Amino acid sequence: MAYRDSHKTWISFWGAGHALYAGDPSITVPLKGYTVNRGTRLSGNVLSMMFSDPYYLKVASAPGTSYHVAETTVRAKTTVLAPSRFDIRTEARATESNVQTRIALRNLDTNTWDTLLTFWQPTTDTVKVLADIPNADHYIRQSDGLIRVRIQMIRALSRGPFNKWMDHVEVKVWE
């Protein structure tokens, strides 16, 4: 059974127990900027992170007390302040092995970073998708639609420095 409403076409498969969209009704939220919180920007800019392509935002890690850290906060703005669904997609790599990546969102209710995913970062481009993030409205500033995504990579100080290559950061919302 299929039906159409004013914004999207739904195709329902009764046997499968779920609905699929015939067209993608999501809105890709435009990236507005980034900040290198820890580390040193080597090359690239916000345009380098808009598409999965051969261009990267490259950040050299900085030594701390226990870890080398490369941390970037990417900002995006949406007009959808109460989305029905919220997804984040990242594509990145580290130039060395034994690097751990943490992807977090700024929770505006608690004024803290909520780490949503932690994983060992390969040295090849790796895509991670955080789909259907719960409590999406906690991560969208109601005054202007700002969303902040933090991508932090760390490596033990004893293992030496590394470079973080960010290829793509995408934020999608559904009305």
Side-chain angles (χ1 to χ4, degrees), residues 1 10-20:
M1 175 180 164
W10 297 78
I11 299 174
S12 180
F13 295 95
W14 295 106
H18 63 278
L20 298 174

Side-chain angles (χ1 to χ4, degrees), residues 11-135:
I11 299 174
S12 180
F13 295 95
W14 295 106
H18 63 278
L20 298 174
Y21 294 117
D24 185 1
S26 65
I27 299 166
T28 300
V29 178
L31 300 182
K32 292 298 182 182
Y34 71 94
T35 304
V36 175
N37 306 322
R38 301 271 309 271
T40 304
R41 180 188 157 278
L42 300 173
S43 65
N45 54 37
V46 72
L47 294 174
S48 308
M49 294 183 288
M50 287 189 178
F51 306 100
S52 179
D53 58 22
Y55 306 102
Y56 297 86
L57 173 68
K58 297 178 183 178
V59 177
S61 65
T65 51
S66 301
Y67 298 98
H68 284 277
V69 181
E71 181 180 288
T72 307
T73 300
V74 179
R75 295 180 306 280
K77 276 195 172 183
T78 181
T79 57
V80 180
L81 301 180
S84 63
R85 181 175 169 163
F86 179 39
D87 294 355
I88 303 284
R89 179 188 185 279
T90 64
E91 184 176 349
R93 73 182 184 99
T95 57
E96 307 297 329
S97 59
N98 299 305
V99 172
Q100 187 179 70
T101 297
R102 297 176 185 147
I103 300 173
L105 288 171
R106 186 67 175 183
N107 186 322
L108 298 162
D109 289 344
T110 62
N111 205 29
T112 60
W113 288 99
D114 289 349
T115 300
L116 302 178
L117 182 63
T118 301
F119 60 96
W120 290 103
Q121 181 70 55
T123 56
T124 56
D125 280 359
T126 303
V127 173
K128 293 294 181 181
V129 176
L130 302 149
D132 207 4
I133 296 166
N135 304 312

